[in-house]
Structure formats: structure tokens, C-alpha cells
Amino acid sequence: GGLRDAVKTAFLRMDKDGSGSLSTKEVYEGLNSVGIAVSEEDVGRMVAAADTDGVEGVSEVELQAMMSDIADGKAVMKTAFRQRGAWLPGFIAQPLVALLEYIGRLDDKQDQKLQANLRPYEAGETSDEMLTLRSKLSQLVLDNDAVWKREENRRDQIRAALDRAKQEKAASASGLTDYGDLVNKLSQTESPGIILGPYFLLCWLLDVLFTNRPIQRFWFLENVARMPYFSYSTMLALYEVLGWWRASSDARVIHFAEEWNEVQHLKMMEALGGDRLWLDRFLARHAAIFYYIILNHVWLFSPSIAYNFSELIEFHAVDTYGEFLDANEELLKSMPAPQEAVDYYENQNLFLFDEFQTGRDPSSRRPKINSLYDMFMQIRDDELEHVKTMFQCQTAEAQIVSPSSRKR
């Protein structure tokens, strides 16, 4: 069945010399071949712990026994950490977990998507396939001017819609039509000058720092994009603790789901190597801290302004991802998505995925990931859902309700 077949497949793939036993080198090379980084020394200790018959190397029977014991929850400490009567330090756990991950990747469900496990920027991988993927990633482009043009067109469309709504409201006898409601809501979400300055400065810095480096730009953006939701949750919790506001439970669930969505985006960009440079990590971490502190103070002064700033940032992300998709469509469709994208978007439990999409009914959106293009398209759509939620946070006449609560 499942585990036994997966272990057998893993054993055969790692047994390069066909000897019927796995050496330390074979296990080490097998793990690293699919992007699981672990030291050869630690692998050697694990192999020694698994070798119960005293014959050099690990046989399939010994590997099956170890994995079966772990799967059944039996003798885990003895199997993993005890060797010839002596307890081994915890560093055995690292290669053991790596081996479990390798075997887990070979089960029936994931075997068809094995290529999605590849880490194109994994330093230890130098196969022709990896070199090809890295070359393709380096060819991805993003035109800053085109992004700004797209944003200007979108702003013009919103202004035109607002003008039409105002005209319809003026033409209405009562003035109490749906158009009047639209005018009120769009007017509420017009960005004040106090936040437009910081917004344009941030976008300009992104253009300067990440010219011709779209993956790194996206990683930076996703790192910083989590901070508003941390901030909103912090301030809502503070209000509840102080007894100022006790109707925020749904809002906190929504903001947690939004942050959870952004951290999945972050993992996808890391899988593509977006965080390789120390300088990028340094800038992202410090920008995130600064952004979090500032937003806490802004939210304390005006929650609507804080939400409006996030709406601006998320709309900019929609425009950026949209331009990136259009400019690189053919190339992106020729590349596999990282496993992080498949695991998130095709997970059977998508409760949190539904919760941040306040403009949709639960289960109404179920993405399929077959290529890198699909992944970026879904990220763009996620950002658009964030925009809709930020809009509702500013315009809702009553407390915003999560999709699951609305369904109940």
C-alpha cells in the first residue's frame, strides 16, 4: 500500500549502484537531488542508526522497518535516536525529517507533480533541468513604466465610473438610487493627500531597488504586505482589551486569513529564490518593522485611512502582477509551479482561503495550478480580493462579516 510503495520507490531511486543497500553518499545525493538540503555528516549518523544488522549500508527491509515504526508512532525515539545502546543527540532528527519529506513526495498523489518540488535557485542543484529553469527565471521582465500606465488607466476608469454615478444620481428624482450608494462608497474610499505621498514614495523605491528583478520585488512586497494585517489585528485586540470595541471578532478572523494568504505568497517567492540576497532580506525586514509601527499609529488615528492605504498597496500589486503576467505569459506557462503553490491552492481544507474573500461565497473559487503562470494569476486574483475586502472595511454600514459567518 501507500507508505510501503513510496518507501520502495524512494529506495530504488537512491540505490544508484543497484547493490541492494543504501550508502551514506546515495542517501545524501538522493535528498539533495530534490532540493532537500542536509549535511552528509548528519545523513551518515542517520544511516548508522537505521543499520540494525551490522552490514554496511541500509537495506530496503531496514528502511521499511524504520519508516513503518515512525508512521505507526512506535519506537520513534529508539529508531531515530538510539544506536547500539547509546543515545544520539537530536541532530539525527534533521536528516530523518528530510528522508520522511523525500518519501512523502513520492506517494501516489504527488508523484505526478514531482517536478513541482524543484527549487530553481537551490544552490546545491546543478542538473541541466535546474540550469534551464534558472535561465528562464532570469529572463522574466517587468516594465515599471507599463505598471504605472496600467495604474493610471485603472484610476481613470474609477473616476469615470464615479462621474457616471454622480450624473445618474443627479438625474434621479429621489436621489436615493443604487447610484447614490455607489457615489457615497466611492467618495469614502478616495485617498487623502496625506497617504498619497508615502504611497508614491514607496512605489518609487520599489522601482529603483528592483529594476529588472521581478521575483525579488515580489518577495519584498509579500514580506511587507503581511504587516497591515498584523497591525489591524493588534489594534483590534487592543480595543477589545480596553473595552472600547467588542464587535471585532469577524474582522480579526478576516485579517488573520489575509495574513495567512500573504505568507503563502511569500513562501512561493522564496521557493523561486526571491530572498537569496542578504541586502534584499535586510531591506525587507526593516521596511516591515517600520511599516508595522507606522500603521499601528495610523489605525489608532483613523482606521479608514489605514485601510485606504492598504487598498492602494493591494491595487498596485494587482497592476504589477497583471503587467508581469502579460509580459511573460509564454515563458511562465513553460515552467512548473513550486510545490508551495500546489499545496496551498489545491489543499482540501481551504477554510482560510475562503475567509479573506469577503466579496465571494465560500467555495466559489477553487484554483488549479499547472504552471508558474497559473500561480501568478492566482496571486494577482488574491490581491484583488484583498482590495475588495479593504473597500468593504471602509464602507460597510455595519460590522464586516466573514464569509463563513455570513453563510451560517
Side-chain angles (χ1 to χ4, degrees):
L3 177 63
R4 176 170 291 277
D5 291 342
V7 173
K8 182 179 182 65
T9 301
F11 183 90
L12 293 174
R13 292 192 182 190
M14 288 190 288
D15 186 18
K16 298 297 185 182
D17 61 6
S19 64
S21 66
L22 299 179
S23 65
T24 296
K25 183 178 180 181
E26 286 175 325
V27 176
Y28 170 75
E29 291 178 349
L31 295 176
N32 280 271
S33 70
V34 291
I36 302 175
V38 64
S39 73
E40 189 168 0
E41 183 180 2
D42 285 350
V43 171
R45 294 190 180 98
M46 182 190 67
V47 168
D51 182 14
T52 58
D53 61 7
V55 178
E56 185 175 357
V58 177
S59 67
E60 183 185 343
V61 172
E62 290 170 327
L63 186 63
Q64 291 279 9
M66 171 186 271
M67 294 301 124
S68 178
D69 282 349
I70 293 172
D72 294 339
K74 300 174 183 177
V76 175
M77 292 299 293
K78 178 179 178 181
T79 304
F81 302 111
R82 192 173 178 84
Q83 180 187 14
R84 297 185 178 89
W87 288 102
L88 296 176
F91 48 63
I92 287 293
Q94 182 180 359
L96 179 62
V97 170
L99 182 58
L100 286 169
E101 183 179 357
Y102 179 87
I103 291 174
R105 290 179 178 184
L106 298 176
D107 64 19
D108 293 337
K109 181 179 179 181
Q110 296 298 334
D111 197 41
Q112 296 178 352
K113 297 176 179 175
L114 188 59
Q115 295 304 316
N117 289 305
L118 303 175
R119 297 293 188 270
Y121 278 90
E122 182 62 43
E125 181 58 50
T126 58
S127 68
D128 292 341
E129 191 169 15
M130 289 299 93
L131 293 176
T132 299
L133 283 176
R134 291 176 197 169
S135 175
K136 287 184 176 181
L137 282 174
S138 68
Q139 296 173 39
L140 297 173
V141 296
L142 180 64
D143 187 334
N144 295 330
D145 292 335
V147 173
W148 281 110
K149 184 175 181 180
R150 185 182 289 256
E151 180 165 335
E152 290 172 3
N153 290 337
R154 187 247 308 161
R155 289 179 179 275
D156 289 342
Q157 291 173 5
I158 292 176
R159 280 193 290 266
L162 180 58
D163 290 340
R164 286 196 301 271
K166 288 180 178 179
Q167 292 172 6
E168 293 288 346
K169 180 181 179 182
S172 171
S174 65
L176 298 176
T177 64
D178 291 339
Y179 294 105
D181 183 58
L182 177 61
V183 169
N184 293 333
K185 289 186 175 182
L186 288 175
S187 299
Q188 287 180 44
T189 59
E190 285 187 293
S191 301
I194 193 173
I195 66 172
L196 287 176
Y199 166 71
F200 287 124
L201 176 62
L202 174 62
C203 294
W204 177 79
L205 287 174
L206 289 173
D207 290 348
V208 171
L209 293 173
F210 298 101
T211 300
N212 296 322
R213 297 198 302 142
I215 301 299
Q216 289 75 16
R217 177 183 180 134
F218 295 144
W219 179 81
F220 181 95
L221 273 173
E222 298 299 347
N223 212 310
V224 174
R226 303 166 60 203
M227 296 305 112
Y229 309 119
F230 283 139
S231 173
Y232 304 153
S233 297
T234 298
M235 300 310 296
L236 286 169
L238 176 63
Y239 273 36
E240 289 228 12
V241 169
L242 296 176
W244 294 352
W245 191 7
R246 298 187 59 189
S248 64
S249 57
D250 271 59
R252 284 185 281 116
V253 170
I254 292 168
H255 294 327
F256 175 79
E258 288 177 305
E259 188 278 324
W260 181 256
N261 176 254
E262 298 289 9
V263 80
Q264 304 309 314
H265 297 172
L266 184 67
K267 291 178 180 178
M268 296 171 204
M269 299 309 158
E270 288 174 349
L272 296 176
D275 63 337
R276 289 190 67 202
L277 293 182
W278 176 86
L279 180 60
D280 291 342
R281 297 195 300 272
F282 177 87
L283 292 173
R285 304 296 186 222
H286 287 77
I289 294 172
F290 179 76
Y291 191 31
Y292 172 74
I293 294 173
I294 292 297
L295 277 175
N296 282 342
H297 288 82
V298 172
W299 203 96
L300 189 62
F301 171 73
S302 172
S304 293
I305 290 180
Y307 285 134
N308 189 271
F309 191 77
S310 289
E311 181 187 339
L312 285 174
I313 297 296
E314 298 291 7
F315 244 142
H316 183 74
V318 173
D319 294 329
T320 304
Y321 281 118
E323 176 59 32
F324 179 75
L325 283 164
D326 289 348
N328 302 278
E329 181 175 356
E330 184 177 348
L331 193 58
L332 290 170
K333 287 183 176 179
S334 71
M335 302 170 68
Q339 188 64 31
E340 285 78 1
V342 177
D343 290 343
Y344 177 60
Y345 286 116
E346 297 188 12
N347 196 302
Q348 292 183 355
N349 183 359
L350 289 175
F351 172 78
L352 287 175
F353 180 72
D354 290 332
E355 281 297 86
F356 77 88
Q357 302 182 67
T358 56
R360 288 178 172 271
D361 292 328
S363 304
S364 63
R365 181 176 165 222
R366 287 296 179 263
K368 294 296 181 183
I369 306 299
N370 297 310
S371 68
L372 203 56
Y373 182 86
D374 294 333
M375 184 192 86
F376 278 105
M377 182 173 63
Q378 296 306 325
I379 292 176
R380 179 205 60 192
D381 293 347
D382 288 349
E383 304 297 355
L384 184 57
E385 294 299 329
H386 288 306
V387 170
K388 296 176 184 177
T389 299
M390 292 298 96
F391 182 83
Q392 287 193 22
C393 285
Q394 297 170 73
T395 61
E397 295 180 0
Q399 179 65 36
I400 189 170
V401 179
S402 70
S404 63
S405 295
R406 188 172 65 243
K407 185 178 180 179
R408 290 196 297 269

